[in-house]
C-alpha cells in the first residue's frame, strides 16, 4: 500500500519539479492530486507518464490524504497548511513560514533526518532555504570530524530562486541588449540582472544584512548546531538555474584538505569534482537536473590555523527545494508513517 500525495502549487517551477522527482524516484504513490489557484483550474501537468489536471486549492478536501508538498508562498501556506494538517495530512512546506517555529522541524535528510520525528506537534515539516540546504549538506560531514567554529559564505544565486517572472526578466533583458528599442527595464529586481550581479536578495534588515543572509544564519543553527557562527553575503547572478557558494570554514581542530576531500567523497548527497586544472570543477550549468550537491576547489586556508575553502554548487529547484521536500517525504514514510 502506497501513499496519497498532494502537490500544492503544481504549476510553478518547484511544484513541477516535485512531480518530476516523485516520479523519477518511484515514490510509492497510490493516488496523487495536483493543486493550484482557481485561475489554473484544469491546467494539465505531468507526473511521469500520466497527465494530471489541476484542482482548486480553495475547495480541496485534504481528509484521507497522507502527505501534502506545499510549493506556494507564505501567504497561501498560512491559509491552507493548517487546514491540511488539521485534516490529518502531513504538510512538507517549502515556504519560509514555519522554518523558525520551534514546534516545526526544519529538515535536510542528509544532515538531521531524525528531526522528522517532531512533525507530530503541528503535522508540519519545513523545508529550508535553497542556499542553506546545499551548504549544510557540505558542512555536516566536516563538522562531525573537526567541529566548525565559523563560516563565511558568499552565494551566487540563480534567478529561478525568484520564480518564473525573474527567469523571463533575465531572458528578455538579455535579448533586449542586442535589439535597439527592445530594452527591458528592471521589474522583478531593483537593478538590471542581465550581464550584472545584484548583492541584494530579499528585504534589508536593520543591521544592513538582507533577510536571505539572515535565513542562512538562523537555519544553519537550527539544522546543525546553534554554536556555529556564520556570516553570509547573498548575491543574485544572471544564471537561470543553479546556486553556487564560496564557503570559508574555520574549525576547532585541524582538518587536512586531503582528509576533507575523502570525507566529502563518502558523504551522502555529495559528489566531489576537484581537479586542479582548467575545467576541473563544477559550474551551475552542469548541475541542472542533478540530485547531487557538487563540491570543488577544496583547499587549505593558510590565513587561519584550522581553515578550509570549498566551492559548492547545486540545482536550487531540486536539492534547494523540490528534491529536499521529496527526500523528507521518504524519511517520513520510512521512520513514521511506514506505508509503501
Amino acid at each position: 500500500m502506497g501513499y496519497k500525495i498532494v502537490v500544492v502549487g503544481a504549476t510553478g517551477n518547484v511544484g513541477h519539479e516535485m512531480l518530476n522527482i516523485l516520479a523519477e524516484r518511484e515514490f510509492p504513490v497510490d493516488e496523487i492530486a495536483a493543486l493550484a489557484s482557481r485561475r489554473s483550474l484544469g491546467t494539465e501537468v505531468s507526473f511521469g507518464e500520466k497527465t494530471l489536471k489541476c484542482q482548486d486549492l480553495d475547495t480541496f478536501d485534504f481528509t484521507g490524504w497522507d502527505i501534502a508538498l506545499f510549493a506556494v508562498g507564505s501567504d497561501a501556506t498560512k491559509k491552507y497548511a493548517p487546514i491540511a494538517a488539521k485534516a490529518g495530512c502531513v504538510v512538507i512546506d517549502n515556504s519560509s513560514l514555519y522554518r523558525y517555529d520551534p514546534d516545526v522541524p526544519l529538515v535536510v535528510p542528509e544532515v538531521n533526518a531524525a528531526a522528522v520525528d517532531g512533525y507530530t506537534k503541528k503535522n508540519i515539516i519545513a523545508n529550508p532555504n535553497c542556499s542553506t540546504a546545499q551548504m549544510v549538506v557540505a558542512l555536516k560531514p566536516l563538522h562531525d570530524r573537526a567541529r566548525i567554529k565559523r563560516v563565511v559564505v558568499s552565494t551566487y544565486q540563480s534567478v529561478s530562486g525568484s520564480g518564473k517572472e525573474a527567469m523571463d526578466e533575465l531572458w528578455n533583458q538579455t535579448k533586449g541588449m542586442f535589439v535597439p528599442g527592445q530594452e527591458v527595464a528592471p521589474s522583478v529586481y531593483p537593478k538590471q540582472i542581465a550581464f550584472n550581479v545584484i548583492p541584494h536578495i530579499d528585504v534589508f534588515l536593520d543591521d544592513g544584512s538582507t533577510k536571505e543572509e539572515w535565513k542562512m544564519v538562523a537555519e544553519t543553527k537550527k539544522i546543525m548546531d546553534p554554536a556555529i557562527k556564520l556570516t553570509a553575503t547573498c548575491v543574485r547572478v544572471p544564471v537561470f538555474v543553479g546556486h553556487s557558494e564560496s564557503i570559508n570554514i574555520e574549525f576547532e581542530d585541524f582538518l587536512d584538505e586531503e582528509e576533507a576531500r575523502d570525507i566529502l567523497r563518502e558523504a551522502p548527497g555529495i559528489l566531489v569534482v576537484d581537479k586542479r586544472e582548467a575545467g576541473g570543477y563544477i559550474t551551475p550549468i552542469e548541475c541542472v537536473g542533478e540530485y547531487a550537491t557538487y563540491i570543488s576547489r577544496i583547499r587549505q586556508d593558510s590565513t587561519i590555523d584550522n581553515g578550509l575553502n570549498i566551492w559548492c554548487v547545486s540545482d536550487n529547484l531540486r536539492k534547494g527545494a523540490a528534491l529536499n521536500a521529496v527526500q523528507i517525504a521518504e524519511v517520513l514514510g520510512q521512520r513514521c508513517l511506514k506505508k509503501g
Side-chain angles (χ1 to χ4, degrees):
M1 186 170 63
Y3 294 91
K4 294 180 69 177
I5 303 293
V6 181
V7 175
V8 180
T11 58
N13 287 337
V14 174
H16 175 75
E17 286 298 317
M18 285 174 171
L19 289 165
N20 285 342
I21 292 167
L22 285 165
E24 288 171 11
R25 293 174 73 90
E26 298 182 344
F27 190 89
V29 174
D30 267 2
E31 189 175 349
I32 189 162
L35 306 188
S37 62
R38 187 161 296 168
R39 67 178 180 272
S40 297
L41 184 66
T43 299
E44 293 186 344
V45 292
S46 296
F47 172 64
E49 299 296 318
K50 299 179 181 178
T51 299
L52 309 175
K53 286 192 175 182
C54 285
Q55 301 178 51
D56 183 6
L57 171 59
D58 200 43
T59 59
F60 187 79
D61 184 0
F62 288 91
T63 304
W65 294 83
D66 297 304
I67 301 170
L69 305 178
F70 268 64
V72 291
S74 293
D75 289 344
T77 299
K78 187 175 184 178
K79 180 177 180 180
Y80 296 104
I83 294 171
K86 188 176 180 180
C89 181
V90 183
V91 171
I92 300 173
D93 175 34
N94 193 60
S95 82
S96 62
L97 184 64
Y98 292 105
R99 290 175 187 161
Y100 318 108
D101 186 326
D103 292 331
V104 174
L106 180 65
V107 178
V108 176
E110 296 92 337
V111 178
N112 64 335
V116 163
D117 298 348
Y119 83 95
T120 54
K121 291 180 180 178
K122 287 193 173 178
N123 232 24
I124 297 171
I125 302 169
N127 215 20
N129 189 42
C130 49
S131 51
T132 306
Q134 69 185 69
M135 181 179 68
V136 296
V137 168
L139 294 181
K140 180 60 163 62
L142 302 177
H143 184 57
D144 288 345
R145 161 62 180 80
R147 304 287 306 170
I148 294 172
K149 290 173 59 178
R150 181 172 184 259
V151 176
V152 180
V153 57
S154 297
T155 72
Y156 309 84
Q157 295 179 224
S158 67
V159 296
S160 57
S162 302
K164 184 180 182 300
E165 288 183 358
M167 298 176 77
D168 290 342
E169 182 158 300
L170 172 58
W171 175 249
N172 291 324
Q173 275 186 357
T174 303
K175 290 192 298 180
M177 296 287 287
F178 299 97
V179 183
Q182 293 189 16
E183 296 84 0
V184 176
S187 173
V188 176
Y189 296 117
K191 296 198 176 191
Q192 175 183 311
I193 185 62
F195 302 99
N196 198 18
V197 299
I198 304 173
H200 170 198
I201 300 178
D202 213 324
V203 297
F204 275 95
L205 306 178
D206 290 342
D207 66 355
S209 63
T210 64
K211 194 171 182 183
E212 183 82 358
E213 292 155 358
W214 175 85
K215 288 175 188 175
M216 294 191 75
V217 176
E219 292 174 18
T220 300
K221 289 178 178 292
K222 183 173 179 178
I223 295 167
M224 276 186 55
D225 187 340
I228 293 175
K229 296 179 179 179
L230 187 143
T231 182
T233 301
C234 294
V235 182
R236 193 69 71 187
V237 297
V239 169
F240 284 107
V241 179
H243 287 358
S244 305
E245 297 171 347
S246 171
I247 309 173
N248 176 264
I249 313 162
E250 182 180 0
F251 298 93
E252 290 183 4
D253 303 315
F254 179 75
L255 179 59
D256 177 79
E257 64 186 40
E258 291 299 333
E259 184 181 357
R261 191 173 285 107
D262 290 340
I263 289 169
L264 291 167
R265 281 199 178 108
E266 296 298 319
I270 290 175
L271 279 176
V272 174
V273 178
D274 189 20
K275 297 178 181 178
R276 293 178 175 178
E277 60 187 43
Y281 40 80
I282 292 292
T283 60
I285 201 167
E286 297 156 283
C287 78
V288 176
E290 300 293 331
Y291 290 153
T293 295
Y294 290 90
I295 306 296
S296 307
R297 303 294 317 282
I298 303 165
R299 62 204 187 279
Q300 225 78 49
D301 177 3
S302 61
T303 67
I304 51 177
D305 288 339
N306 303 315
L308 282 177
N309 290 301
I310 63 173
W311 174 251
C312 176
V313 179
S314 191
D315 183 330
N316 56 292
L317 297 178
R318 292 206 152 206
K319 185 56 191 169
L323 172 61
N324 200 73
V326 173
Q327 287 177 303
I328 291 172
E330 292 169 346
V331 172
L332 177 68
Q334 292 158 7
R335 292 182 64 93
C336 305
L337 303 184
K338 300 185 185 298
K339 292 169 67 175

